[in-house]
């Protein structure tokens, strides 16, 4: 109401997504793909947006970002706002459910153990809580356990003494069922090239920001050295330490810039690597480190996998549409030949297949 030109006055508040908002919108997408907060913060910083871990953690819980107003003083129930949301209400709810699934761990466990990659990824079909992992140090055996349901303890690794196959081996067989068949390699390559081109928009933004940051750091470094030469009173040791810190920071950004430029200039390398993973999905998961296993798991099954504590079988509640498509069409292509999948009960055929647009593969 304080504008002088009344023709430009708006009778209601307008909330829109600015350049920073577009970056945060990408952060929501990465989070839904299962990316860790510290990696998301690093990506945002590469794009020129610094955000604290507390602020980022708080963002995941605020309905404002899915276009919903929640204020007990103004209204009794949540209502839809009149602004463009960064994330859909459905996806926002998924993240809240994923966060609530965490339970107190009753065993000494490190959640990033390569022998227990399915910890906090498998979900008990009975109580909907995440399974945790622990090690029996006497027997040197690894287990998954639901901390709510009695008797819901599973071997992680198959042993000679165990009657049941370990869940890691069951998951290996499940991934083998979703690997890319040879018939789809050429089609997959075309989709990957389209996807690579869409990624370039994001990468170019990171590239531009890194170049600006390096130029700024180099200017600061030059001014610092000139100030030292003009002021002989500055302690020489302090000067050397600060100079080394600045040069290390510049080198770090230059290394990052080189990596980003390499990504832009080697699309075929990107395509070949992704194709290798898709064709050998189960093998890459088995041989990978903890972080690689997590990325593959969350790419194929974004919301984790349910496991029946009684029948001890997997129930895939949500699967990446890309892998559903390759599996289903491959079955038709091979005259509906049934493949042995082990103890797997698949419910994901209810999910719609992809169209012709490039999908977010995520590996």
């Amino acid at each position: 109401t304080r504008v002088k030109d009344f023709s430009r006055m708006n009778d209601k508040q307008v909330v829109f997504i600015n350049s920073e908002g577009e970056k945060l919108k990408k952060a929501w997408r990465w989070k839904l793909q299962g990316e860790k907060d510290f990696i998301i913060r690093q990506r945002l910083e590469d794009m020129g947006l610094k955000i604290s871990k507390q602020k980022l953690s708080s963002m995941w819980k605020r309905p404002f970002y899915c276009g919903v107003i929640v204020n007990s003083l103004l209204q009794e129930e949540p209502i839809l706002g009149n602004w463009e949301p960064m994330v859909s209400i459905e996806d926002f709810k998924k993240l809240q459910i994923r966060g609530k699934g965490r339970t107190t761990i009753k065993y000494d466990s490190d959640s990033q153990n390569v022998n227990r990659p399915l910890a906090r990824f498998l979900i008990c079909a009975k109580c909907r809580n995440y399974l945790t992992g622990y090690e029996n140090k006497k027997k040197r055996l690894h287990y998954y356990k639901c901390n709510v349901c009695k008797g819901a303890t599973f071997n992680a690794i198959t042993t000679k003494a165990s009657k049941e196959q370990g869940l890691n081996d069951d998951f290996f067989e499940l991934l083998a069922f979703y690997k890319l068949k040879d018939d789809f390699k050429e089609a997959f390559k075309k989709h990957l090239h389209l996807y690579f081109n869409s990624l370039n928009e994001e990468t170019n933004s990171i590239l531009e920001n890194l170049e600006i940051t390096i130029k700024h750091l180099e200017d600061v470094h030059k001014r610092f050295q000139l100030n030292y030469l003009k002021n002989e009173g500055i302690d020489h040791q302090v000067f050397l330490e600060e100079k080394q810190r600045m040069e290390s920071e510049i080198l770090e950004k230059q290394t990052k810039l080189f990596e980003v430029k390499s990504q832009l200039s080697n699309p075929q390398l990107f395509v070949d690597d992704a194709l290798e993973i898709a064709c050998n999905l189960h093998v890459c998961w088995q041989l990978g480190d903890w972080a690689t296993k997590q990325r593959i798991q969350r790419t194929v099954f974004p919301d984790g996998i349910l496991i029946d504590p009684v029948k001890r079988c997997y129930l895939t509640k949500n699967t990446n549409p890309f892998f559903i498509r390759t599996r289903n069409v491959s079955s038709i292509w091979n005259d509906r030949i049934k493949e042995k999948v082990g103890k797997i009960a698949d419910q994901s055929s209810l999910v719609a297949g992809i169209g012709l647009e490039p999908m977010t593969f995520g590996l």
Side-chain angles (χ1 to χ4, degrees), residues 98 120-123 130 297-298 301-306 315-319:
R98 191 184 296 176
R120 300 190 177 280
F121 173 76
L122 295 178
I123 304 166
Y130 282 110
Q297 289 167 199
R298 291 292 177 185
F301 307 108
D303 298 326
I305 294 182
L306 293 169
L315 305 170
T316 56
K317 63 174 185 171
N318 181 26
T319 307

Side-chain angles (χ1 to χ4, degrees), residues 302-314:
D303 298 326
I305 294 182
L306 293 169
I307 183 163
D308 189 320
V310 179
K311 296 181 180 179
R312 297 181 176 243
C313 61
Y314 288 139

Side-chain angles (χ1 to χ4, degrees), residues 18-42:
N18 60 11
S19 59
E20 286 191 357
E22 290 295 337
K23 294 169 186 175
L24 291 176
K25 194 173 181 180
K26 291 175 181 177
W28 280 98
R29 188 187 74 211
W30 298 329
K31 185 67 175 177
L32 285 162
Q33 290 172 354
E35 204 61 90
K36 299 293 181 184
D37 280 13
F38 75 90
I39 295 177
I40 293 174
R41 287 179 60 224
Q42 183 59 55

Side-chain angles (χ1 to χ4, degrees), residues 182-196:
D182 291 340
D183 305 323
F184 297 98
K185 283 185 178 180
E186 291 305 315
F188 182 57
K189 282 182 182 179
K190 292 179 182 178
H191 277 278
L192 281 177
H193 279 291
L194 290 172
Y195 177 54
F196 181 85

